[in-house]
Amino acid sequence: MIVPKLLIVVPCYNEEAILHKTHQRLQRYREELVKEAMIAPESKICFVNDGSRDRTWEMIDGICTNDAHSVGVKLSRNFGHQSAILAGLMEHIDDFECFITIDADLQDDIEAIGKMLDQYRDGAMIVYGVRDDRSTDSWFKRTTAEGFYKLMQRMGVPVVFNHADFRLMDQRILREFAHFKEVNLFLRGVIPLIGFRSEKVFYKRFEREAGETKYPLKKMLVFAWNGITSFSTFPMRLVLYFGVFNFLIALAITAYIALSYLTGHTVVGWTSIVLPMTFFSGANMIALGLIGEYIGKIYEEVKGRPRYIVEKKVGSEQSAV
Ligand code: UDP
Ligand code: MG
């Protein structure tokens, strides 16, 4: 049986109200897992301070001084949830074999960590935590969040439905992930692109026990927009579709205008103004859409994502990956 050296990464932004409790609960759970020989005794918990304006960092500092199984990372300013997770993972990529990311408010059920490890020991390289019960979320949060996943999927973004950033990843996954150089990071979209065997673990999402959400509506919208535009050129393609639609309508209007002109139902000058206007606005939009298509291609290129990832090789000298 594999007994991995595990790192649990916890991004923290203004979490002073709940940090001690989170530390205690995670640490207790970590010890249980060590006792059950599910993880190695050197496994640790990493708290990443994402430029908090409250006492979060002082608290993390204190926790790490007294607890040999906690480590802290302080970012120089607020970089956002995704970058905080990234920092916690990448700063320790060589030191641990398995990584789990979880929010500081413990809205995600920590008991799911054990189930994730079971899947890991069965050979899964990525295990997604999926909320299958959102009854504690407000109607608004639930509807907007689930609508967001559906919209993303329809636009071709490979997100896992109802999975946020509670997931387990093998060290190998992080090594491959390091080749994705994009600055606008949207982990939920990138991780499924990496491939390898993945599994899901279902759990119930709890309410936030203390402190308040760091994702007010405005931030949520920015996050969703970033996710969509980082993975899909669909919004841009809409311009092209709209242009073609406009153009077809312009053709119909053109026929109407020509007919009106021929039957003498027009005032002088009307035809020569209205006809080019409708016609060229449709043509313009198509042209814009076409330019957009090329910009889309440039956008795909500059992201410089890997074009393939090899999982294993056999029969060659480099087969031991
Ligand atoms: N967070 C962060 N940086 C930010 C915003 C949030 O590191 O700029 C962390 C926050 O401390 C928490 C996690 O991201 O651990 C998720 O935030 P929150 O629980 O407020 O989001 P919600 O669950 O309400 O969507
Ligand atoms: Mg939360």
Side-chain angles (χ1 to χ4, degrees):
M1 258 310 181
I2 326 161
V3 182
K5 214 165 138 187
L6 172 75
L7 182 72
I8 301 179
V9 174
V10 188
C12 308
Y13 176 58
N14 295 344
E15 297 287 8
E16 63 178 8
I18 200 160
L19 200 63
H20 272 307
K21 201 166 176 186
T22 301
H23 167 246
Q24 271 172 12
R25 285 183 53 197
L26 279 177
Q27 216 37 276
R28 218 177 298 140
Y29 195 67
R30 192 200 71 88
E31 275 157 29
E32 269 175 42
L33 290 172
V34 170
K35 249 184 239 152
E36 290 166 23
M38 300 270 283
I39 56 173
E42 307 86 39
S43 298
K44 288 186 181 169
I45 300 168
C46 167
F47 296 94
V48 183
N49 176 39
D50 183 19
S52 300
R53 275 164 302 175
D54 62 2
R55 295 193 57 259
T56 299
W57 175 246
E58 285 74 13
M59 286 170 72
I60 294 176
D61 202 14
I63 287 171
C64 297
T65 330
N66 296 318
D67 172 11
H69 293 110
S70 289
V71 290
V73 173
K74 184 180 187 225
L75 300 187
S76 59
R77 62 170 170 85
N78 179 249
F79 282 87
H81 182 197
Q82 304 288 292
S83 300
I85 293 176
L86 178 74
L89 293 170
M90 288 308 173
E91 289 299 308
H92 300 100
I93 184 168
D94 297 322
D95 310 330
F96 296 86
E97 290 147 6
C98 178
F99 299 80
I100 288 180
T101 53
I102 187 167
D103 287 352
D105 53 13
L106 297 191
Q107 280 188 285
D108 305 308
D109 186 3
I110 59 169
E111 303 286 330
I113 292 179
K115 291 194 231 160
M116 286 179 168
L117 286 165
D118 285 338
Q119 299 280 7
Y120 177 74
R121 287 147 68 104
D122 275 353
M125 303 280 270
I126 307 174
V127 186
Y128 299 106
V130 177
R131 308 157 174 173
D132 62 350
D133 180 353
R134 275 181 178 269
S135 51
T136 52
D137 273 348
S138 67
W139 176 87
F140 181 74
K141 176 94 190 183
R142 190 165 61 234
T143 321
T144 47
E146 293 191 341
F148 164 65
Y149 289 108
K150 281 187 195 138
L151 183 72
M152 298 280 281
Q153 284 176 339
R154 293 194 75 153
M155 289 192 179
V157 187
V159 287
V160 176
F161 190 69
N162 262 340
H163 156 72
D165 286 305
F166 183 26
R167 74 174 78 78
L168 174 149
M169 284 173 283
D170 183 73
Q171 188 192 46
R172 176 76 201 281
I173 298 295
L174 287 193
R175 296 220 183 277
E176 300 300 346
F177 169 60
H179 296 124
F180 288 74
K181 300 285 183 207
E182 49 219 78
V183 177
N184 286 301
L185 188 59
F186 185 69
L187 289 165
R188 284 167 223 191
V190 177
I191 304 294
L193 286 183
I194 298 175
F196 294 87
R197 189 174 142 197
S198 65
E199 295 293 342
K200 290 177 195 155
V201 156
F202 296 91
Y203 65 92
K204 182 174 179 312
R205 181 169 157 93
F206 301 120
E207 266 175 82
R208 197 180 237 280
E209 283 173 33
E212 51 193 42
T213 174
K214 310 297 178 299
Y215 272 103
L217 183 64
K218 191 173 149 224
K219 237 176 163 178
M220 236 156 61
L221 288 176
V222 172
F223 185 62
W225 185 242
N226 186 21
I228 291 168
T229 51
S230 296
F231 281 85
S232 167
T233 43
F234 181 77
M236 203 181 51
R237 185 152 296 162
L238 270 183
V239 178
L240 185 63
Y241 293 157
F242 194 62
V244 172
F245 178 70
N246 237 5
F247 191 73
L248 291 178
I249 291 186
L251 284 183
I253 296 176
T254 306
Y256 166 74
I257 291 168
L259 202 72
S260 307
Y261 177 73
L262 291 175
T263 51
H265 290 294
T266 52
V267 282
V268 177
W270 181 77
T271 317
S272 56
I273 294 174
V274 174
L275 194 123
M277 223 170 69
T278 43
F279 192 79
F280 286 116
S281 66
N284 258 341
M285 203 133 211
I286 291 185
L288 274 181
L290 279 179
I291 293 173
E293 282 291 308
Y294 286 96
I295 293 183
K297 295 278 180 305
I298 297 172
Y299 181 54
E300 295 293 332
E301 294 292 336
V302 295
K303 275 190 285 201
R305 286 182 183 164
R307 282 174 296 177
Y308 62 85
I309 295 171
V310 176
E311 180 166 346
K312 240 185 220 157
K313 288 192 199 167
V314 283
S316 67
E317 275 177 23
Q318 302 94 357
S319 56
V321 180

